[in-house]
């Protein structure tokens, strides 16, 4: 129903077309483009963008209907065929990041765990009656919340306060129930409630929670088509979410219009909604799923946690290794069992415990030593079939995942393997024996954190030269909610990996920041996270990339690893006026049609001040230099969000083959929210490096009181 006296200006209208004609609700014939399909009866969805008629303030019902019909004959000019999105990019972290530590105050005083903030999750839904989404100790939904829960066979509560189901052949009132598990995991990472005794493996139980456990969730289930994701974003904006998480990928070559997150995220940002998105799981340079500056683009890291097991030898020596999901409740670690090494004959088949290789070897009720390889789970099956009681895998464990082993297993590194073999071969040790002690999830792995193998890297192919990803966040073997269907252990939790898991970590941190600073813009929240990120690992060394176990580069990790404790008190922020994005997109030569679709009004770029990407007031700096263009000066403006009277001095780390010169050596503030500007001149140090060389540095503004280090990563590409 349309009420007279109101103007209805939808962002998007979806038109369902069959055999070249509109559905029975309209008698207007559509262009033949709709019939260009293999099946002439195939229904297709077209996305129609509407702009409010200029000069009109109110439309009555007839005017509104006439306006809606007016665009139909020009379908081929202002519409595009809907396309299917890419596949989804598929809790120790609150403790690791310092959120649950009472001494930091983040959960307990500074942000109240995100209470009252609403995170919209656009994904595959959530399961019914999952404990992570209970409303135990949750506050009532915000008074200004506009969403509803008119679902069939799905009951909302004070945790889940709204959402919808958006897909062809689904009704918006259909329950947003997850059947794949991706959305469940993502939503629980962002804002899952506390669940005691959450369990994935064996007897080891944990207290699970999201990053903002007292924040509300609105769940928008989508089937990954562009049209349905656009509708999900629109509804989230209408409902009044504060944060949006979108762990769904797009093509690295897509411009901002084709990239759903960029297009809808632009509109959300204009409404003051912060948007966190996954960087993508392609694990290669120039493969980012998203890279618009108004989006927080998040890569994945592997923390220092691991599922640990200890090999204890008969002589008392112990070696800490890793195990898989299988941590048995029935294995008696107090009983020592004989060790057997089939590979003593030095045959590759027995060294690796290949199928059939244990025939004729007595392994019954013994712990079998096998060298690791590509089929480690199969090795365990071979050992179990031969009667073995347990297995010690030997060899590199750098990239070992939490395998679903079929018997008790401990995986040790090569050095420890040699020591175990030396004990096994020692004269006078007969029989050699050992046991395996299962420790559950523990910290201490090094190096850590590292950049995850499949995390997509920059530079962006489409944003003109803005450093992306922005940061990395936990995204490797992350503990979170699950559904029974895909869970081999038939419980409510699982470990999962991907930038899909990294993005909701940042969305949760955004919720904590929004709670503490309710008037901050998305750009200010983004800046706080970027400028406080850790740029070295726990040992103070450069971040290692799991792909090759060598140092990562700035396009792998952006500013570095999120540090929520520091983000809560950043000192200075790089804020932006939203209209700066108009000048930025004009610089990128977006045509009038695109500009109108983004801004819901006509934009004449000839009358706009064009903003070069490097000149956007972004927390990071990226420039391209060459022999023909050997230097560039960029301007930045910072806003004081710390103590009123604050002084900052610079600390410069020059990129290789480049030199940085600042226009000032001091920023002196006398009031909160005061803004000061400075210039950074970046110059090639001759001779110019080879074309394509990447160099990185950083600029840090350090408060004289010692309380803040505001860090801007700097990327220099030599052209």
């Amino acid at each position: 129903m349309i009420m007279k006296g109101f103007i209805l200006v939808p962002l998007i209208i979806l038109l369902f077309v069959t055999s070249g004609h509109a559905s029975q609700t309209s008698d207007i014939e559509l262009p033949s483009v709709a019939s260009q399909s293999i099946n002439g009866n195939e229904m297709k969805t077209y996305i129609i963008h509407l702009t409010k008629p200029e000069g009109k303030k109110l439309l009555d019902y007839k005017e509104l209907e006439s306006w809606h019909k007016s665009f139909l004959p020009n379908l081929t000019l202002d519409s595009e065929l809907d396309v299917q999105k890419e596949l989804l990019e598929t809790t120790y972290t609150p403790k690791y990041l310092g959120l649950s530590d009472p001494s930091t105050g983040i959960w307990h005083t500074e942000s109240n765990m995100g209470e009252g903030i609403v995170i919209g999750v656009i994904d595959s839904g959530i399961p019914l009656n999952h404990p992570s989404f209970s409303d135990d100790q949750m506050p009532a939904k915000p008074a200004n919340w506009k969403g509803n829960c008119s679902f069939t066979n799905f009951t909302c509560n004070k945790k889940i306060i709204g959402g919808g189901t958006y897909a062809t052949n689904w009704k918006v009132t259909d329950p947003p129930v997850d059947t794949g598990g991706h959305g469940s995991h993502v939503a629980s990472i962002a804002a899952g409630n506390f669940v005691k005794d959450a369990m994935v493996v064996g007897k080891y139980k944990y207290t699970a929670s999201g990053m903002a456990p007292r924040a509300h969730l609105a769940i928008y289930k989508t089937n990954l088509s562009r049209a349905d994701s656009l509708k999900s974003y629109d509804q989230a904006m209408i409902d009044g979410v504060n944060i949006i998480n979108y762990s769904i990928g797009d093509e690295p070559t897509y411009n901002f219009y084709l990239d759903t997150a960029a297009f809808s995220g632009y509109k959300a940002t204009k409404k003051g909604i912060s948007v966190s998105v996954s960087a993508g799981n392609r694990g290669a340079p120039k493969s980012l799923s998203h890279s618009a500056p108004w989006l927080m683009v998040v890569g994945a890291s592997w923390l220092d946690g691991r599922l640990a097991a200890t090999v204890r030898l008969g002589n008392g020596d112990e070696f800490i290794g890793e195990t898989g999901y299988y941590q048995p409740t029935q294995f008696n670690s107090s009983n020592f069992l004989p060790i057997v090494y089939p590979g003593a004959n030095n045959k590759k088949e027995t060294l690796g415990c290949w199928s059939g290789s244990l025939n004729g070897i007595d392994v019954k009720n013994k712990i079998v030593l096998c060298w690791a390889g590509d089929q480690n789970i199969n090795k365990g099956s071979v050992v179990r079939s031969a009667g073995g009681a347990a297995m010690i895998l030997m060899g590199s464990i750098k990239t070992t995942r939490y395998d679903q082993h079929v018997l008790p297993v401990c995986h040790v590194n090569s050095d420890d393997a040699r020591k175990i073999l030396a004990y096994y071969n020692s004269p006078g040790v007969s029989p050699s024996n050992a046991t395996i002690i299962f420790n559950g999830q523990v910290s201490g792995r090094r190096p850590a954190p590292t950049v995850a193998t499949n995390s997509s890297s920059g530079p962006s192919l489409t944003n003109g030269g803005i450093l992306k990803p922005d940061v990395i966040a936990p995204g490797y073997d992350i503990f979170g909610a699950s559904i029974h269907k895909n869970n081999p252990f038939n419980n409510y939790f699982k470990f999962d990996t991907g930038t899909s898991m990294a993005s909701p970590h940042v969305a949760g941190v955004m919720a904590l920041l929004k709670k503490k600073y309710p008037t901050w813009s998305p750009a200010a929240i983004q800046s706080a996270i970027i400028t406080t990120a850790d740029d070295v690992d726990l040992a103070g060394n450069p971040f290692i990339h799991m792909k090759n176990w060598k140092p990562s580069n700035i396009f792998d990790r952006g500013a570095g690893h999120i540090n929520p404790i520091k983000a809560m008190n950043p000192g200075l922020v790089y804020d932006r006026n939203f209209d700066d994005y108009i000048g930025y997109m004009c610089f990128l030569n977006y045509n009038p049609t695109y500009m109108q679709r983004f801004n819901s009004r006509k934009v004449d770029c000839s009358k706009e001040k064009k903003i070069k990407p490097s000149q956007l007031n972004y927390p990071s700096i990226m420039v391209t230099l060459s022999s023909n263009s050997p230097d560039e000066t960029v301007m930045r403006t910072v806003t004081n969000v710390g103590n009123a009277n604050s002084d900052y001095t610079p600390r410069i780390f020059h990129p290789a083959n480049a030199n940085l010169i600042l226009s000032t050596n001091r920023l002196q503030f006398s009031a909160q929210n005061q803004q000061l500007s400075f210039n950074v001149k970046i110059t090639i140090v001759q001779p110019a490096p080879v074309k394509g060389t990447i160099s990185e540095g950083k600029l840090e503004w350090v408060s004289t009181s010692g309380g803040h280090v505001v860090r801007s990563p700097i990327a220099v590409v030599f052209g």
Side-chain angles (χ1 to χ4, degrees), residues 197-212:
D197 295 332
M199 180 177 68
V200 170
V201 290
K203 58 186 178 183
Y204 298 99
K205 299 178 180 180
Y206 314 94
T207 297
S209 79
M211 302 296 286

Side-chain angles (χ1 to χ4, degrees), residues 574-612:
Y574 293 83
D575 209 349
R576 293 184 291 284
N577 294 319
F578 186 82
D579 285 347
D580 289 349
Y581 295 131
I582 295 177
Y584 161 72
M585 292 181 69
C586 284
F587 180 89
L588 295 182
N589 294 318
Y590 276 83
N591 63 39
T593 299
Y594 281 155
M595 295 301 293
Q596 182 169 318
R597 290 175 179 174
F598 271 90
N599 296 284
S600 300
R601 65 177 178 84
K602 291 182 178 179
V603 174
D604 185 352
C605 279
S606 67
K607 298 179 181 179
E608 298 287 339
K609 178 184 177 182
K610 295 184 178 181
I611 300 177
K612 189 177 180 181

Side-chain angles (χ1 to χ4, degrees), residues 247-399:
S247 292
I248 299 174
D250 254 323
E251 291 295 328
T253 56
Y254 278 2
N255 63 27
F256 294 160
Y257 173 68
L258 295 177
D259 176 2
T260 302
F263 179 74
S264 290
Y266 181 91
K267 297 173 182 293
T269 303
K270 189 174 183 178
K271 292 179 176 291
I273 302 168
S274 295
V275 182
S276 182
V277 299
S278 52
N281 295 328
R282 296 175 178 87
K286 302 180 181 180
S287 67
L288 295 169
S289 286
H290 314 285
S291 63
W294 47 87
L295 302 176
M296 191 73 178
V297 182
V298 187
S301 70
W302 188 17
L303 300 183
D304 68 337
R306 57 181 176 175
L307 283 174
T310 300
V311 174
R312 178 178 291 167
L313 302 179
N315 64 2
D317 289 348
E318 293 187 349
F319 305 94
I320 299 176
E322 296 187 15
T323 185
Y325 282 126
Y326 187 87
Q327 294 212 1
T329 57
Q330 301 301 317
F331 187 80
N332 190 344
S333 297
S334 63
N335 290 340
F336 283 77
L337 299 174
I339 300 174
V340 59
Y341 180 42
N345 60 14
N346 207 32
K347 293 182 178 180
K348 61 182 180 180
E349 293 84 1
T350 50
L351 286 167
C353 297
W354 292 8
S355 179
S357 66
L358 302 186
N359 295 340
I361 301 176
D362 181 15
V363 301
K364 188 173 182 179
N365 296 325
K366 296 179 181 180
I367 297 177
V368 183
L369 304 179
C370 304
W371 286 98
D374 295 331
Q375 303 292 330
N376 292 331
I377 297 176
N378 290 344
K379 298 175 191 295
S381 297
V382 172
V383 170
R384 186 179 67 171
S385 297
M391 176 175 67
I392 297 175
L393 278 171
M394 304 182 295
S396 174
I397 58 174
K398 286 182 178 178
T399 58

Side-chain angles (χ1 to χ4, degrees), residues 99 107 111 113-114 117 119 189-191 210-213 215 243 245 276 502-515 529 564 568:
L99 301 180
W107 267 0
S111 67
M113 304 184 195
I117 302 301
I119 302 176
I189 293 169
M211 302 296 286
I243 313 292
N245 185 83
S276 182
S503 179
H505 279 91
V506 172
V509 174
M510 286 175 162
L512 301 178
L513 281 163
K514 189 68 174 178
K515 177 64 178 179
I529 296 171
M568 289 296 147

Side-chain angles (χ1 to χ4, degrees), residues 614-615 631-635 679-682:
S614 60
Q615 300 297 333
D631 62 72
E632 182 172 351
T633 299
V634 301
M635 188 180 81
N679 293 331
V680 183
K681 185 177 182 180
I682 306 173

Side-chain angles (χ1 to χ4, degrees), residues 394-677:
M394 304 182 295
S396 174
I397 58 174
K398 286 182 178 178
T399 58
T400 296
R401 293 288 310 281
Y402 297 161
D403 294 330
Q404 298 172 16
H405 289 296
V406 297
L407 81 171
V409 171
C410 180
H411 192 154
V412 299
N413 62 36
S414 298
D415 288 341
D416 289 345
R418 283 189 284 270
K419 295 173 184 176
I420 293 171
L421 289 173
Y423 165 75
Y424 176 81
N425 293 316
S426 295
V429 179
S430 181
S432 54
N433 53 29
T435 189
I436 299 176
I437 303 167
F438 295 94
N439 309 113
Q441 191 175 35
V442 301
S443 61
R445 186 188 61 81
R446 294 292 186 273
T450 56
V451 179
T453 304
N454 293 327
S455 186
S456 288
S457 301
S460 167
L461 297 174
T462 59
N463 71 14
I466 293 174
L467 179 60
K468 296 285 180 172
D470 291 299
V471 291
I472 54 175
Y476 193 89
D477 288 325
I478 302 301
F479 189 74
S482 178
I483 59 175
H484 287 290
K485 178 181 176 182
N486 290 344
N487 192 322
F489 302 98
N490 197 35
N491 56 36
Y492 280 106
F493 295 92
K494 67 176 181 178
F495 289 96
D496 211 343
T497 288
T499 58
S500 284
M501 284 68 246
S503 179
H505 279 91
V506 172
V509 174
M510 286 175 162
L512 301 178
L513 281 163
K514 189 68 174 178
K515 177 64 178 179
K516 184 178 181 181
Y517 304 104
T519 63
W520 275 17
S521 69
I525 290 174
Q526 180 191 54
S527 175
I529 296 171
I530 291 175
T531 61
T532 60
D534 293 327
D535 64 340
V536 291
D537 70 11
L538 292 173
N541 299 319
F543 290 108
I544 297 298
H545 203 302
M546 289 172 62
K547 178 177 289 187
N548 54 16
W549 295 98
K550 295 180 180 179
S552 61
N553 69 48
I554 197 167
F555 291 117
D556 299 324
R557 65 182 185 277
H561 201 277
I562 61 166
N563 187 326
I565 296 175
K566 293 180 180 178
M568 289 296 147
N569 189 15
L572 307 174
V573 295
Y574 293 83
D575 209 349
R576 293 184 291 284
N577 294 319
F578 186 82
D579 285 347
D580 289 349
Y581 295 131
I582 295 177
Y584 161 72
M585 292 181 69
C586 284
F587 180 89
L588 295 182
N589 294 318
Y590 276 83
N591 63 39
T593 299
Y594 281 155
M595 295 301 293
Q596 182 169 318
R597 290 175 179 174
F598 271 90
N599 296 284
S600 300
R601 65 177 178 84
K602 291 182 178 179
V603 174
D604 185 352
C605 279
S606 67
K607 298 179 181 179
E608 298 287 339
K609 178 184 177 182
K610 295 184 178 181
I611 300 177
K612 189 177 180 181
S614 60
Q615 300 297 333
L616 200 64
N617 198 44
Y618 210 71
S620 59
I621 297 173
M622 178 178 171
V623 298
T624 299
L625 304 179
S626 65
S627 297
N628 296 328
S629 181
D631 62 72
E632 182 172 351
T633 299
V634 301
M635 188 180 81
R636 290 292 187 268
T637 300
V638 288
T639 303
N640 178 29
V641 294
N643 295 330
N645 296 306
S646 301
D647 283 6
Y648 289 82
T649 57
R651 191 159 58 198
I652 300 173
F653 298 80
H654 299 277
N657 303 112
N659 187 49
L660 271 59
I661 300 176
L662 288 179
S663 60
T664 181
N665 61 3
R666 185 181 185 187
L667 296 175
Q668 186 175 14
F669 297 92
S670 58
Q672 283 192 333
N673 298 316
Q674 180 183 354
Q675 293 186 330
L676 293 175
S677 299

Side-chain angles (χ1 to χ4, degrees), residues 6 15 51 70 72 136 142 158 237 373 425 445 526 528:
F6 287 80
L15 192 63
T51 301
S70 68
L72 292 178
D136 181 43
K158 289 183 289 185
M237 288 183 262
N425 293 316
R445 186 188 61 81
Q526 180 191 54

